[in-house]
Amino acid sequence: MGIEAEPVKTTCPYCGVGCGVIASMDAVGNVSVRGDPDHPANFGRLCSKGSSLGETVGLEGRLLHPEIDGRRASWDEALNLVAGTFRQTIAEHGPDAVAFYVSGQMLTEDYYVANKLMKGFIGSANIDTNSRLCMASSVAGHRRAFGGDVVPGNYEDLELADLIVLVGSNLAWCHPVLFQRIAAAKATRPEMKVVLIDPRRTMSAELADLHLAVKADGDVALFNALLAWLADHGQLDSSYVERHTTGLAEAVAAARALPPSRLAEIAGLSPQEIERFCRLFADTPRVVTIYSQGVNQSESGTDKVNAIINCHLATGRIGKPGCGPFSVTGQPNAMGGREVGGLSNMLAAHMEIESAKDRDTVRRFWNAPRIAEKAGLKAVDLFRAVGEGRIKALWIMATNPVASMPDADAVKAALAACPFVVVSDISAETDTMALAKVKLPATGWGEKDGTVTNSERRISRQRSFLPLVGDMRPDWWIVSEVARRMGFADAFPYEAPAEIFAEYAALTGFENHGRRALDIGAYAGLDEAGYETLPPFQWPRPAQGSPDPARFFGAGGFFTPDGKGCFVPTPVSKPATVGEGAFVLNTGRIRDQWHTMTRTGKSPRLSAHMAEPFAEVNPADAASLGIADADIVEVANGRGKILVRALLSERQQRGAIFVPMHWTDEFAAAARVDVLVAPVTDPVSGQPALKASRADLRRFAAARYGFAVSRTKPAAIGADYWARAACDGGWRIEFAFAEAPADPVAAARTLVGAHETTEMLAYQDNERGDCRLAFFDGGKLVGAFFLSGAPVAVSRSWAVAQLQSPHDSPRDRFRVAAGRGGADKPDAGATVCACFSVGVNQIVAAVAKDGCRDVDAIGRLLKAGTNCGSCRSEIKGLVDAHYVVAAE
Ligand code: SF4
């Protein structure tokens, strides 16, 4: 028995809200987390993902030692090989023959040294980040309008606003704590209005007073219509425009280039809907427009950003309490990566690679032998260059591009053909790790020390509270070691992240003189002790002077050469859906998973919310294709195909489908949706259009459907369709066969890992194709296997519970084989509230039988929605849907 550790204040490693977390470890090593009540991002709140962090820090599945060609290696051997191969490749083919592909999961200090090595010492700018997939269009839009990558406002503005416009942002699921902050503000000020602009009626619609179901990529047309309307109706802030901006006339002319009726048609909205939105915007002085991936991940992403910013500049709704355009980032440290030059077209500290003066400034500060002279390859082009053999040595850090990049199979083929692929990560088995020649074990959340920057420019410490196990090392250490072995020891002397942070802070202030917004020069002299206790703070924090770090541009002060904000004309381009197929394929996130599930996939609670990959389809479209709810469907186009579960929903527009981006080959047979996405990018930002590919949909003719629970991780799942998810006590597996398996018992034994000698109980109905098998080791269930000619109608929550229930009596054991709980054990249904494991059937019953009429009443009865609150939108949707039925 060990000693209980002191709680540690750190930061959640998932989304860009950047919530403060207090992590505790008990004497036997169990980790628990709670929200930090003092952190200004969340004031104690956490969403379901943050609340479940303790379930994701176990060592199962971790890479703990360096490997070369699949064999264990020492750090020395692995580092020498990486440094030597990079050095030799550069010597033979030049610096542009190597590349780094890094990640918004990395800490600022990790990012800083990787960028310094590539841009200042290797002399190439071929370092790009998976944040290119996330918010590059926002960066480009900010730079065009503001002269720098600056988010003007802060989270408090979301509570002070009288109108929140959500564009392409399912805030309820993707930034839940911000959504809860808005919901709480709206509850105290019901006059506050929320408009949702999204092709889908997402869970965020539960808070919306108006939902504008734009067509895919109809946003530029909509915001051009708004700008033209504001100009036509005398609603511009002439004083602000005149004193602080340039280019209004050109932007309005571009907006007026098409008549309002045509703009409405392109946006997919009625003129009345647009008029209502325009009046609401014009009549509300305090407006915050929040935008996210629905804006950024588009062929016209940068223009969308500028079309939004144009409306805020034109009305002076920027940089004042409760006002402003607000880009919310997907990743925990997308902002930090932007700050230190993680994007291939930026230098560190927001300096510009195109500027000879900036290049010289950075070169002198680093005393660098060769600074990159031009922008490097952006993510899509970078992997294309790998595929074409132009990049011969690639180092991927903390990301899984084989699952997350568009044209994902081409990326997979490119990595397979690349002469030298290094992957540093925490997970031993990812789709990308499988293709690495050299595998380097990195530290993960809990073991890492450094800083992250959230969406409101707030820098917070991530502090370690877990010991390093095996050979795992921080990313900054690994990169610095390689740099030293490449001959750059003097420039990479770091012993601790505090030293890197202080150097980075000094660079932000170096020859700045107010020229760049990003200035944290006040921390240039920070020592180890100061770094350890560093509280969350917003930039800027220059060494001299004390500008208000809360907001930018309320009184002008842009970072353009003339100090004025720029309107950018945003002509409406052609509809951007790409490729052939009957449906527009939209991709995105779900509430309880994160990226490619390498961490959230470990949590039974999180996996209980949506345990399978799915395609959300409008019921009318499904009917026309003969697709029923819970059928397996094939989504396909010329690039490939995937198999997922059909989820029929009126939330989905006709002619469009939504497929989540989380499932990889590790968790499903064929559900990497990005294999279907064309590598088409925004011409300014290089961000891929991940939300507007085209694909066809058809029912997969399954001869047999199956469901199983297994105490052990299923090793081989020989079904055409399968998806596995962690559950309490083991694994749950959904599957389907195109042809009935010849020997179901053999298939079941393989799936659940049962031996010939394991006790087996069987129930079979040959006419219906039903086969139900349960395997026992004494009173313990080893696994249960249910096969049927139709989707299996066994309660999932009941079956999962059997893994941890005693089965001492023959009657109990037979019940498992029969797939039936006792009458005293009703099916809770699919999990809605992950914190208290409350299912959909329980909530519907609470409405129908117990008279619950709102979310709070459900909370009082079942506790659902009373902890993290991430499920409150779903509960409200269920109450609204079933209250009418119950009342009839
Ligand atoms: Fe983490 Fe949730 Fe906060 Fe995002 S909203 S930082 S996922 S707790």
Side-chain angles (χ1 to χ4, degrees):
M1 176 84 61
I3 299 171
E4 204 164 304
E6 283 289 308
V8 171
K9 285 197 171 195
T10 181
T11 310
C12 175
Y14 295 127
C15 83
V17 179
C19 294
V21 169
I22 298 177
S24 307
M25 188 165 64
D26 67 17
V28 290
N30 293 321
V31 172
S32 61
V33 299
R34 61 192 162 93
D36 180 353
D38 301 324
H39 196 290
N42 56 317
F43 296 108
R45 296 178 175 93
L46 291 178
C47 75
S48 48
K49 292 187 287 289
S51 304
S52 304
L53 274 165
E55 294 176 29
T56 66
V57 295
L59 291 175
E60 63 280 5
R62 289 288 299 270
L63 180 70
L64 295 177
H65 305 285
E67 291 180 18
I68 298 171
D69 290 328
R71 66 167 172 83
R72 184 170 166 176
S74 68
W75 268 116
D76 254 348
E77 188 186 3
L79 292 167
N80 285 339
L81 179 63
V82 174
T85 307
F86 268 74
R87 208 171 41 214
Q88 188 180 343
T89 306
I90 293 163
E92 287 176 7
H93 304 283
D96 289 335
V98 302
F100 295 166
Y101 185 61
V102 298
S103 162
Q105 306 295 307
M106 292 164 71
L107 305 186
T108 298
E109 293 76 1
D110 304 324
Y111 249 132
Y112 180 85
V113 291
N115 181 57
K116 181 176 176 180
L117 174 58
M118 182 55 80
K119 292 202 182 117
F121 291 79
I122 289 175
S124 167
N126 280 348
I127 171 170
D128 210 37
T129 161
N130 63 5
S131 295
R132 178 74 61 192
L133 279 50
C134 168
M135 34 42 45
S137 297
S138 284
V139 176
H142 289 162
R143 292 177 72 200
R144 291 204 302 191
F146 306 147
D149 179 19
V150 181
V151 173
N154 60 51
Y155 293 164
E156 190 189 20
D157 291 328
L158 312 184
E159 293 157 334
L160 296 173
D162 294 313
L163 171 62
I164 297 279
V165 183
L166 290 172
V167 195
S169 161
N170 183 7
L171 208 71
W173 276 16
C174 300
H175 300 90
V177 164
L178 292 187
F179 189 76
Q180 289 164 39
R181 285 182 70 163
I182 295 169
K186 196 169 177 356
T188 42
R189 292 190 297 118
E191 66 277 12
M192 181 184 187
K193 295 277 184 287
V194 176
V195 175
L196 174 68
I197 298 170
D198 198 306
R200 287 194 302 150
R201 190 174 170 78
T202 63
M203 283 299 162
S204 300
E206 301 306 329
L207 202 61
D209 301 278
L210 175 63
H211 172 213
L212 298 175
V214 284
K215 274 188 194 164
D217 286 330
D219 317 66
V220 171
L222 173 59
F223 281 89
N224 277 3
L226 173 60
L227 183 64
W229 191 97
L230 293 166
D232 292 346
H233 290 77
Q235 294 291 335
L236 306 184
D237 183 338
S238 308
S239 165
Y240 184 90
V241 168
E242 208 166 291
R243 279 185 296 146
H244 302 308
T245 69
T246 57
L248 173 69
E250 292 82 353
V252 170
R256 283 180 176 146
L258 294 175
S261 57
R262 179 71 184 127
L263 289 175
E265 190 185 331
I266 294 169
L269 300 168
S270 69
Q272 295 75 20
E273 285 176 305
I274 292 187
E275 171 94 7
R276 193 177 158 200
F277 173 53
C278 292
R279 286 200 182 282
L280 202 51
F281 193 100
D283 292 346
T284 317
R286 291 183 169 209
V287 183
V288 173
T289 303
I290 299 173
Y291 52 93
S292 189
Q293 317 314 15
V295 165
N296 294 329
Q297 292 176 336
S298 159
E299 208 179 344
S300 55
T302 309
D303 276 356
K304 289 186 191 183
V305 171
N306 286 110
I308 292 168
I309 292 174
N310 284 346
C311 295
H312 280 267
L313 287 176
T315 53
R317 286 169 168 80
I318 186 166
K320 298 167 191 155
C323 288
F326 206 131
S327 148
V328 286
T329 57
Q331 298 199 75
N333 201 28
M335 290 281 276
R338 283 147 75 165
E339 291 163 9
V340 299
L343 292 165
S344 61
N345 55 322
M346 294 289 294
L347 284 176
H350 279 187
M351 281 183 263
E352 300 190 351
I353 205 161
E354 305 85 7
S355 159
K357 183 173 184 305
D358 282 357
R359 291 198 303 272
D360 184 57
T361 303
V362 177
R363 185 189 60 73
R364 282 184 291 109
F365 182 85
W366 281 342
N367 194 21
R370 54 183 83 78
I371 195 87
E373 295 288 330
K374 60 180 193 323
L377 295 170
K378 296 169 182 154
V380 169
D381 292 334
L382 189 152
F383 283 101
R384 192 174 285 134
V386 174
E388 290 169 358
R390 286 181 282 133
I391 287 177
K392 300 170 193 308
L394 174 66
W395 186 352
I396 298 166
M397 305 180 203
T399 185
N400 196 359
V402 169
S404 55
M405 283 293 295
D407 209 4
D409 275 347
V411 170
K412 188 175 183 178
L415 292 186
C418 184
F420 191 68
V421 176
V422 182
V423 178
S424 37
D425 205 321
I426 65 170
S427 301
E429 290 176 8
T430 69
D431 295 354
T432 301
M433 190 61 99
L435 298 165
K437 178 177 179 68
V438 183
K439 303 177 181 179
L440 303 176
T443 47
W445 184 78
E447 299 130 8
K448 279 175 144 176
D449 232 341
T451 55
V452 289
T453 309
N454 74 1
S455 299
E456 60 167 353
R457 293 175 277 106
R458 190 176 299 282
I459 295 176
S460 299
R461 287 277 282 110
Q462 234 184 59
R463 295 183 176 87
S464 62
F465 60 92
L466 294 173
L468 303 197
V469 177
D471 289 331
M472 63 173 69
R473 294 287 185 275
D475 289 294
W476 65 261
W477 180 91
I478 303 172
V479 176
S480 298
E481 281 294 327
V482 169
R484 290 174 196 169
R485 289 158 204 255
M486 289 180 75
F488 310 125
D490 290 349
F492 293 85
Y494 314 114
E495 299 288 332
E499 297 165 18
I500 303 167
F501 182 81
E503 179 181 313
Y504 157 58
L507 176 57
T508 64
F510 185 62
E511 299 177 0
N512 188 327
H513 312 303
R515 209 166 56 85
R516 306 184 299 272
L518 172 60
D519 185 345
I520 57 168
Y523 296 102
L526 198 70
D527 61 11
E528 189 81 41
Y531 185 70
E532 192 45 47
T533 56
L534 187 70
F537 71 94
Q538 276 182 296
W539 57 261
R541 291 288 171 96
Q544 278 94 38
S546 53
D548 176 11
R551 294 179 186 86
F552 281 92
F553 313 137
F558 293 89
F559 295 91
T560 50
D562 63 2
K564 296 199 167 186
C566 298
F567 285 93
V568 179
T570 54
V572 176
S573 52
K574 64 180 171 52
T577 57
V578 181
E580 303 289 319
F583 290 87
V584 176
L585 169 64
N586 184 359
T587 68
R589 292 178 174 162
I590 61 171
R591 192 190 78 187
D592 285 357
Q593 292 296 345
W594 179 257
H595 281 197
T596 57
M597 298 168 65
T598 52
R599 289 172 291 169
T600 47
K602 287 182 170 184
S603 163
R605 269 198 296 163
L606 295 178
S607 299
H609 181 231
M610 288 177 147
E612 282 181 281
F614 61 88
E616 196 174 73
V617 189
N618 183 280
D621 283 337
S624 73
L625 295 169
I627 294 169
D629 211 11
D631 275 349
I632 309 296
V633 288
E634 182 182 288
V635 186
N637 60 22
R639 296 178 185 281
K641 66 179 180 183
I642 59 171
L643 287 176
V644 293
R645 188 75 69 173
L647 181 66
L648 273 49
S649 169
E650 296 283 357
R651 293 182 178 277
Q652 187 62 58
Q653 280 189 19
R654 288 208 67 176
I657 54 176
F658 172 84
V659 178
M661 45 80 89
H662 305 291
W663 272 269
T664 65
D665 291 349
E666 174 66 7
F667 288 93
R672 284 185 299 130
V673 66
D674 286 318
V675 304
L676 305 176
V677 174
V680 171
T681 59
D682 176 281
V684 183
S685 69
Q687 179 153 0
L690 290 158
K691 291 181 172 289
S693 300
R694 298 204 74 92
D696 287 312
L697 185 68
R698 72 178 177 90
R699 184 173 178 275
F700 173 75
R704 291 290 182 274
Y705 294 83
F707 173 70
V709 291
S710 173
R711 191 168 285 275
T712 55
K713 185 175 178 179
I717 302 175
D720 299 280
Y721 168 82
W722 60 260
R724 65 182 164 206
C727 65
D728 284 325
W731 293 82
R732 52 180 285 186
I733 310 103
E734 302 281 351
F735 51 95
F737 293 93
E739 288 177 20
D743 186 348
V745 174
R749 283 192 188 281
T750 306
L751 190 63
V752 306
H755 305 294
E756 289 295 327
T757 52
T758 311
E759 180 193 354
M760 182 182 87
L761 292 179
Y763 164 89
Q764 229 151 336
D765 179 341
N766 290 336
E767 208 166 298
R768 292 163 52 100
D770 278 6
C771 171
R772 299 179 172 198
L773 304 165
F775 299 89
F776 294 93
D777 176 6
K780 278 188 186 170
L781 179 65
V782 171
F785 176 96
F786 307 102
L787 196 68
S788 175
V792 172
V794 165
S795 160
R796 276 29 178 187
S797 54
W798 169 83
V800 165
Q802 302 317 299
L803 285 172
Q804 294 191 307
S805 304
H807 300 285
D808 295 325
S809 74
R811 188 162 172 242
D812 270 352
R813 296 208 280 278
F814 184 74
R815 266 191 182 155
V816 178
R820 281 197 298 270
D824 56 330
K825 297 185 183 92
D827 178 13
T831 297
V832 175
C833 171
C835 296
F836 295 109
S837 300
V838 179
V840 63
N841 294 348
Q842 291 170 282
I843 293 167
V844 170
V847 175
K849 295 187 186 143
D850 300 301
C852 293
R853 295 291 173 260
D854 56 34
V855 179
D856 290 333
I858 295 285
R860 285 191 293 276
L861 187 73
L862 300 172
K863 292 175 78 177
T866 59
N867 185 37
C868 77
S870 301
C871 59
R872 289 179 70 86
S873 301
E874 276 171 277
I875 296 173
K876 182 172 184 302
L878 286 168
V879 172
D880 290 348
H882 292 275
Y883 173 56
V884 179
V885 176
E888 278 170 354

